[in-house]
Amino acid sequence: MTSQRRTAQKQAVYDALRALDHPSATEVYAYLQGKEPAVSRGTVFRVLSVFSESGRVKKLRLLGDEAHYDHNTSPHAHARCRLCGMVWDLQGVPAPLALPEGFLLEESELEVSGVCAACAAKG
Amino acid sequence: MTSQRRTAQKQAVYDALRALDHPSATEVYAYLQGKEPAVSRGTVFRVLSVFSESGRVKKLRLLGDEAHYDHNTSPHAHARCRLCGMVWDLQGVPAPLALPEGFLLEESELEVSGVCAACAAKG
DNA sequence: ATCGTTGCAAATCTTTTGCAAACGC
DNA sequence: GCGTTTGCAAAAGATTTGCAACGAT
């Protein structure tokens, strides 16, 4: 049996996830630098991996090259501005398309990208 | 000005993209091993990068850890079986959710995952 | 003859892992 | 004390890049 232990590092990583906006592991690590408790890079990856496997956070594979993590685990989609990189949560899930016969839907991940109003205004 | 030149390597990479099912760069490279013309790993990545920037292929960031590439550039979504890994193309794009005020939609990427009928039947 | 393209190898970046020390329960 | 978690450093995997040789136009 593998019971989860409560540690300062796990709490710090989870707090970072809420303080930042859909951060990558690298961004979480950078955010925690110089803070207490110290958290190593390896631990950031390990904790995020444990969290996403236990369903406490959702691992996103969109938004560029690195994986990003979302503490909001309710079903929702994301909109990202191509220019400033800002991310918005979109409530609800997209309407299901015609799935293959007999396909049992478990998860869905949708990202739309484009240009946000602020960036469009800047020219 | 940067005009694209027609080369055997580019053609080979593009052919691999059509022969395989949403392959990763590594899978394209493996497929081309031992074939004519020889294509190095670096060139596979470079050609795929050029193709996806010019819009000739679409770079997908889903389906696991590596980027995958789709020669079908029309708007469509993907369904993936969590067990056998098979991928289906779903025609059409998901209904737009409530986007941020003034957001200019450019692209959308949707992947749904679950269990396909064949895998469900196997138990 | 240009200038884009390739192969090769080294470099970079992201993520994982082995192992001994430290800590929660 | 037992078993999990951490830090560190090394390893692994994915992707990019420098550079000289090559090839398409």
Side-chain angles (χ1 to χ4, degrees):
Chain A
M1 205 60 233
T2 312
S3 57
Q4 297 263 334
R5 284 178 184 169
R6 166 178 297 277
T7 67
Q9 282 83 352
K10 284 180 179 171
Q11 186 62 53
V13 168
Y14 191 74
D15 289 345
L17 241 37
R18 287 194 298 189
L20 302 171
D21 181 46
H22 303 83
S24 64
T26 301
E27 289 166 339
V28 168
Y29 176 66
Y31 174 82
L32 295 175
Q33 284 294 80
K35 291 201 174 57
E36 278 301 327
V39 186
S40 72
R41 191 187 310 274
T43 295
V44 170
F45 278 100
R46 251 179 313 210
V47 167
L48 288 173
S49 168
V50 166
F51 279 179
S52 82
E53 268 160 43
S54 71
R56 186 166 174 190
V57 308
K58 184 151 176 30
K59 184 177 190 174
L60 307 174
R61 313 231 52 119
L62 304 162
L63 311 170
D65 287 322
E66 311 163 54
H68 288 244
Y69 297 85
D70 193 345
H71 72 281
N72 176 359
T73 58
S74 70
H76 67 286
H78 297 99
R80 177 181 101 244
C81 176
R82 170 168 61 79
L83 299 177
C84 67
M86 182 168 285
V87 176
W88 288 260
D89 283 347
L90 305 181
Q91 286 318 306
V93 288
L97 306 174
L99 294 175
E101 183 72 25
F103 191 93
L104 305 172
L105 181 60
E106 291 177 342
E107 289 194 70
S108 88
E109 191 171 346
L110 167 68
E111 182 191 283
V112 302
S113 60
V115 177
C116 73
C119 285
K122 284 178 202 148
Chain B
M1 203 62 232
T2 313
S3 58
Q4 298 260 335
R5 285 179 185 169
R6 167 179 295 277
T7 66
Q9 282 83 352
K10 283 181 179 169
Q11 186 63 51
V13 168
Y14 192 74
D15 290 345
L17 242 36
R18 288 194 298 189
L20 302 171
D21 183 46
H22 303 84
S24 65
T26 302
E27 289 166 338
V28 168
Y29 176 67
Y31 175 81
L32 295 175
Q33 284 294 79
K35 290 202 175 57
E36 278 301 328
V39 185
S40 73
R41 191 185 313 271
T43 294
V44 169
F45 278 101
R46 251 179 311 209
V47 166
L48 288 172
S49 169
V50 166
F51 279 178
S52 83
E53 268 162 42
S54 70
R56 187 166 173 188
V57 309
K58 185 151 175 30
K59 185 175 190 173
L60 307 173
R61 319 225 62 117
L62 305 162
L63 311 168
D65 287 321
E66 311 162 55
H68 288 243
Y69 298 85
D70 193 344
H71 71 280
N72 177 358
T73 58
S74 70
H76 67 286
H78 297 100
R80 176 180 102 245
C81 176
R82 170 169 61 79
L83 299 178
C84 66
M86 182 168 286
V87 176
W88 288 259
D89 283 346
L90 305 181
Q91 287 317 307
V93 289
L97 307 173
L99 294 175
E101 185 72 25
F103 192 92
L104 305 172
L105 181 60
E106 291 177 341
E107 291 195 69
S108 89
E109 191 171 345
L110 167 68
E111 182 191 281
V112 302
S113 61
V115 178
C116 72
C119 285
K122 284 177 200 148

